[in-house]
């Protein structure tokens, strides 16, 4: 394919994507395929000779689309939002076209410098404390990670290194292995599984701290566990607080937890993967109060801020804590400006060496929407979630299982877990809408997350009508079966 054909085919692909997104509501939200469906549709081996773009293009609908779960459908209410917008798609095209691998400032100065500035822009939008911003001469700063999982792992690894160095300076007789065996990390029992996975990768022990009746961790619960573990000779070193948990969008109590972590010399990381985008709205910013006690903070614009995957933003209060844990300087990666103090080499901030020009997506979206339009997007989703909550509360067969704060509603039929498991199965088998469950305490609950950029009140009403009809059918069937017994 030469440049001339690329121009032609590129226009065709843009038209195809635009048509797909404009008409996505007409596609079944969840596919009908069974595992292994795709292998029988394509040859066993790559072609020896080139195939035309036309041949590839026609197979998109035949092979790919039948197996796609349409995350951007207005009938997709599972997990959390996956950000998307036309500006971010254009930026990703440019990112691919430039094709730089921005592991250092010298590898592509614009790639590095735009990221630093965009993280400052975004930090100011959510009113992060000044210490977290790079500015012109700050000690903090931000970086784009691939996911919140990576951000959590990076913060945990940095905390591990910092703690080992501190303990060895205080007790030189202890070896690194001695200290590693006594390190203990902590997170809420509602925290995402990626937090526990980070501990597995880092080779340290992790303990869940019990949440309260609002599914939040409070200061007294953390302090109790810390006191017990210190008495047993363990070394608490890391706590991951969650703002907007995956099961029910609950919020750990930062104003209680932060001072404890600071007093106990524990690195506090805040995972606000979903909820963080909402902090651009003044009415939700109070949910971030206490961030001033944290060492690191992360949220995903690629969830709720109309930026497509992957764009997970992470800030650290003291970037030397992060870079000091991972810094290696082979000759082939060195450049003449690295010691100037004016540049950032992001390879020291992340797990992989290479990195894409992801800040272009933030730059396009923040400029083409502006803060006001992005706030409108967040508020619309919250409003629609409360609309769904209201519909649920009007039906005495259902119950709401957690406070609705942002765009997630946790609900269930009153009754057994087995009943609700069957109910969710009937919803997803109908494939009109798509939901996933979670456990809250001992209850099996259904999560209704407002996700799509294009979702409207009519889609919420349709979803509720469908849910209500399926509930009626399920309950009637069960009643008939009981009578027959």
């Amino acid at each position: 394919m030469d440049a001339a054909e690329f121009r032609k085919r590129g226009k065709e692909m843009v038209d195809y994507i635009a048509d797909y997104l404009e008409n996505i509501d007409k596609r079944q939200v969840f596919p009908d395929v069974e595992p292994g469906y795709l292998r029988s549709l394509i040859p066993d081996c790559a072609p020896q000779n080139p195939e035309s773009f036309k041949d590839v293009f026609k197979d998109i609908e035949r092979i790919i689309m039948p197996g796609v779960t349409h995350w951007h459908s207005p009938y997709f209410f599972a997990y959390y939002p996956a950000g998307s917008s036309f500006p971010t798609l254009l930026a990703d095209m440019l990112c691919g076209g430039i094709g730089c691998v921005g592991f250092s400032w010298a590898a592509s100065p614009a790639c590095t410098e735009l990221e630093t500035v965009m993280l400052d822009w975004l930090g100011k939008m959510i009113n992060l404390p000044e210490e977290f911003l790079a500015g012109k001469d700050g000690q903090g700063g931000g970086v784009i990670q691939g996911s919140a999982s990576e951000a959590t792992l990076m913060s945990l690894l940095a905390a591990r290194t910092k703690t080992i160095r501190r303990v060895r300076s205080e007790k030189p007789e202890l070896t690194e292995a001695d200290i590693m065996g006594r390190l203990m990390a902590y997170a809420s029992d509602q925290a995402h599984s990626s937090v526990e996975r980070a501990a597995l990768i880092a080779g340290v022990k992790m303990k869940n701290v019990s949440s309260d009746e609002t599914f939040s961790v409070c200061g007294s619960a953390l302090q109790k566990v810390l006191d017990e573990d210190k008495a047993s000779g363990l070394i608490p070193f890391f706590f991951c607080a969650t703002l907007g948990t995956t099961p029910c969008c609950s919020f750990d109590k930062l104003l209680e937890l932060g001072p404890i972590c600071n007093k106990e010399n524990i690195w506090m990381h805040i995972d606000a993967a979903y909820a963080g985008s909402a902090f651009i709205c003044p009415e939700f910013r109070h949910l971030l109060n206490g961030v001033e006690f944290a060492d690191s903070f992360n949220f995903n614009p690629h969830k709720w801020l109309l930026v497509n995957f992957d764009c997970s933003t992470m800030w650290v209060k003291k970037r030397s804590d992060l870079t000091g844990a991972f810094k290696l300087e082979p000759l082939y990666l060195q450049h003449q400006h690295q010691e100037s103090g004016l540049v950032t080499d992001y390879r020291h901030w992340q797990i992989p060496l290479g990195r894409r020009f992801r800040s272009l997506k933030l730059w396009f979206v923040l400029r083409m929407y502006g803060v006001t339009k992005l706030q409108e997007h967040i508020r619309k989703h919250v409003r629609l979630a409360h609309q769904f909550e209201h519909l649920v509360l009007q039906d005495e067969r259902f119950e709401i299982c957690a406070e609705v704060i942002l765009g997630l509603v946790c609900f269930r039929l009153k009754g057994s877990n087995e009943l609700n498991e069957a109910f969710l199965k009937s919803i997803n088998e109908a494939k009109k809408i798509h939901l996933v469950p979670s456990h809250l305490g001992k209850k099996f609950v259904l999560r209704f997350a407002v996700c799509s950029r294009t979702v409207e009140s009519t889609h919420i009403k349709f979803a509720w009508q469908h849910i209500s009809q399926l509930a009626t059918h399920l309950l009637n069937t069960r009643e008939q079966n009981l009578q027959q017994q």
Side-chain angles (χ1 to χ4, degrees):
M1 180 180 290
D2 58 17
E5 187 179 4
F6 174 71
R7 292 178 191 275
K8 178 182 178 182
R9 302 309 184 187
K11 292 180 176 67
E12 290 176 12
M13 184 58 77
V14 168
D15 285 341
Y16 177 82
I17 294 170
D19 289 341
Y20 166 73
L21 292 172
E22 281 191 327
N23 298 290
I24 197 169
D25 60 327
K26 297 178 178 63
R27 294 179 183 262
Q28 183 173 286
V29 63
F30 194 78
D32 280 322
V33 299
E34 296 295 328
Y37 90 95
L38 190 143
R39 183 171 288 277
S40 64
L41 299 178
I42 61 176
D44 288 338
C45 302
Q48 291 297 316
N49 299 309
E51 296 184 25
S52 69
F53 177 81
K54 278 188 175 182
D55 290 336
V56 177
F57 192 74
K58 70 182 181 183
D59 280 346
I60 295 173
E61 285 294 334
R62 184 178 74 89
I63 297 173
I64 303 302
M65 285 301 172
V68 170
T69 299
H70 299 287
W71 279 64
H72 303 291
S73 167
Y75 301 113
F76 182 92
F77 301 105
Y79 311 108
Y80 274 131
S84 182
S85 63
F86 293 120
T88 196
L89 294 176
L90 291 173
D92 235 7
M93 287 175 62
L94 180 58
C95 172
I98 292 172
C100 66
V101 184
F103 49 77
S104 70
W105 180 88
S108 192
C111 179
T112 293
E113 295 198 12
L114 185 64
E115 184 162 332
T116 302
V117 176
M118 287 304 99
L119 270 290
D120 276 2
W121 275 21
L122 196 53
K124 291 174 183 176
M125 286 169 60
I126 61 174
N127 197 22
L128 269 185
E130 190 74 24
E131 302 100 296
F132 286 97
L133 306 182
K136 292 184 178 179
D137 52 8
Q139 294 186 48
V143 58
I144 298 176
Q145 304 285 4
S147 66
S149 306
E150 289 180 32
T152 300
L153 177 58
M154 288 298 293
S155 61
L156 187 146
L157 291 173
R160 185 187 70 177
T161 299
K162 184 178 182 181
T163 302
I164 289 172
R165 289 172 178 170
R166 175 179 58 80
V167 174
R168 290 201 72 184
S169 69
E170 296 169 353
K171 300 178 180 180
E173 70 277 10
L174 293 179
T175 66
E176 184 170 324
D178 292 333
I179 299 167
M180 275 285 291
R182 292 164 56 187
L183 292 178
M184 181 66 77
Y186 305 87
S188 165
D189 56 13
Q190 300 297 310
H192 194 275
S193 60
S194 62
V195 183
E196 183 178 357
R197 189 167 182 265
L200 288 173
I201 295 171
V204 297
K205 294 184 285 291
M206 173 163 278
K207 185 173 290 186
N208 287 333
V209 182
S210 297
S211 55
D212 61 16
E213 68 281 357
T214 66
F215 308 105
S216 306
V217 170
C218 62
S220 58
L222 177 62
Q223 189 67 65
K224 180 176 183 292
V225 176
L226 295 180
D227 290 343
E228 292 172 353
D229 285 352
K230 287 192 297 179
S232 300
L234 297 174
I235 304 173
F237 80 103
F238 177 85
F239 175 69
C240 180
T242 306
L243 300 182
T245 59
T246 300
C248 67
C249 199
S250 57
F251 291 77
D252 290 341
K253 296 177 170 59
L254 297 185
L255 289 170
E256 298 178 17
L257 298 163
I260 293 172
C261 289
N262 288 180
K263 173 176 64 94
E264 301 284 356
N265 225 338
I266 293 171
W267 181 299
M268 184 167 79
H269 174 68
I270 298 173
D271 173 16
Y274 162 67
S277 296
F279 304 152
I280 68 171
C281 301
E283 65 269 30
F284 299 124
R285 175 55 179 78
H286 70 278
L287 296 167
L288 188 57
N289 289 349
V291 67
E292 60 271 19
F293 297 107
D295 296 276
S296 54
F297 166 72
N298 163 256
F299 82 92
N300 293 346
H302 68 231
K303 276 192 169 67
W304 208 9
L305 216 57
L306 301 178
V307 178
N308 65 332
F309 190 85
D310 55 345
C311 184
S312 182
T313 48
M314 174 187 182
W315 291 264
V316 287
K317 190 178 287 182
K318 193 174 180 182
R319 59 177 176 264
S320 60
D321 287 340
L322 193 64
T323 60
F326 309 104
K327 194 168 186 177
L328 293 172
E329 294 286 11
L331 181 61
Y332 49 81
L333 296 180
Q334 295 177 23
H335 56 90
Q336 62 179 336
H337 297 291
Q338 65 185 38
E339 302 300 335
S340 68
L342 300 174
V343 302
T344 297
D345 285 348
Y346 277 122
R347 69 180 185 273
H348 305 309
W349 297 56
Q350 61 179 22
I351 296 167
L353 176 66
R355 57 203 335 272
R356 299 185 303 116
F357 203 161
R358 293 179 291 203
S359 57
L360 284 170
K361 296 187 287 191
L362 275 176
W363 192 47
F364 273 47
V365 169
L366 296 183
R367 291 184 66 186
M368 296 179 72
Y369 276 91
V371 177
T372 300
K373 290 296 182 183
L374 292 171
Q375 289 172 333
E376 287 178 9
H377 172 68
I378 299 293
R379 288 166 177 153
K380 174 187 172 184
H381 275 201
V382 176
R383 189 167 61 249
L384 292 175
H386 284 295
Q387 177 187 348
F388 183 80
E389 176 194 23
H390 179 69
L391 292 168
V392 174
L393 289 172
Q394 288 181 312
D395 191 326
E396 62 182 12
R397 301 174 299 175
F398 290 87
E399 61 180 332
I400 297 292
C401 303
E403 182 182 2
V404 179
I405 299 174
L406 298 177
L408 177 70
V409 183
C410 291
F411 73 107
R412 71 196 301 269
L413 281 167
K414 294 175 181 176
S416 68
N417 284 346
E418 185 266 336
L419 171 67
N420 281 279
E421 288 170 10
F423 183 41
L424 178 63
K425 183 179 179 183
S426 70
I427 292 172
N428 285 334
E429 285 183 348
K431 295 183 170 67
K432 300 288 187 184
I433 63 174
H434 188 44
L435 305 179
V436 295
S438 67
H439 275 109
L440 294 179
K442 295 181 179 180
K443 288 185 177 181
F444 180 95
V445 305
L446 283 65
R447 298 170 72 265
F448 186 94
V450 181
C451 292
S452 172
R453 175 178 57 85
T454 59
V455 67
E456 298 290 347
S457 177
T458 53
H459 301 112
I460 302 299
K461 292 175 183 176
F462 172 86
W464 171 247
Q465 183 179 30
H466 179 60
I467 288 169
S468 179
Q469 289 172 350
L470 288 175
T472 298
H473 177 73
L474 177 65
L475 294 172
N476 286 344
T477 300
R478 295 207 157 208
E479 181 65 26
Q480 291 169 6
N481 289 340
L482 285 173
Q483 291 175 356
Q484 291 171 1
Q485 293 174 3

